[in-house]
Amino acid sequence: MTGWGWFEDLAVTDETADDHWRHCFASRAGQKVLADLDRSITRTALGPQSTDRAIWMREGQRALVLQIARLAQDRDGDFVKTIIGEQ
């Protein structure tokens, strides 16, 4: 045993287990939240004087926004295209 076996219990086996993400962000308010996050985090750049800490913080924020968008997308990917800048 490698100590990683507990991950197996966390595996999602139901196809609809992540529908709560889609339901949450499919509303008009949810779409506005994703659009605001996209505009304020993924579409802005830090200045050249930014510290390493600020850059890493921004990358973490960016990764979180993209993860939320991925989880909120339809099975065919259409939802995220309409929200995250691919209109």
Side-chain angles (χ1 to χ4, degrees):
M1 184 156 148
T2 64
W4 294 99
W6 62 276
F7 277 119
E8 293 173 11
D9 295 336
L10 299 176
V12 176
T13 56
D14 184 10
E15 285 186 19
T16 61
D18 58 347
D19 281 348
H20 56 280
W21 288 96
R22 284 187 284 283
H23 289 288
C24 179
F25 290 103
S27 69
R28 186 175 188 98
Q31 291 177 8
K32 287 182 179 181
V33 168
L34 275 179
D36 287 346
L37 289 172
D38 179 51
R39 184 177 54 253
S40 66
I41 294 175
T42 61
R43 301 212 180 265
T44 58
L46 298 175
Q49 312 301 336
S50 300
T51 65
D52 287 345
R53 288 181 182 181
I55 292 168
W56 283 110
M57 176 67 79
R58 177 54 61 96
E59 282 303 306
Q61 293 169 340
R62 184 180 158 283
L64 180 60
V65 170
L66 294 175
Q67 176 74 354
I68 291 170
R70 185 189 66 76
L71 290 169
Q73 71 185 349
D74 287 337
R75 300 246 188 266
D76 60 1
D78 286 340
F79 177 73
V80 76
K81 289 178 187 173
T82 62
I83 300 303
I84 304 295
E86 296 180 18
Q87 299 175 352

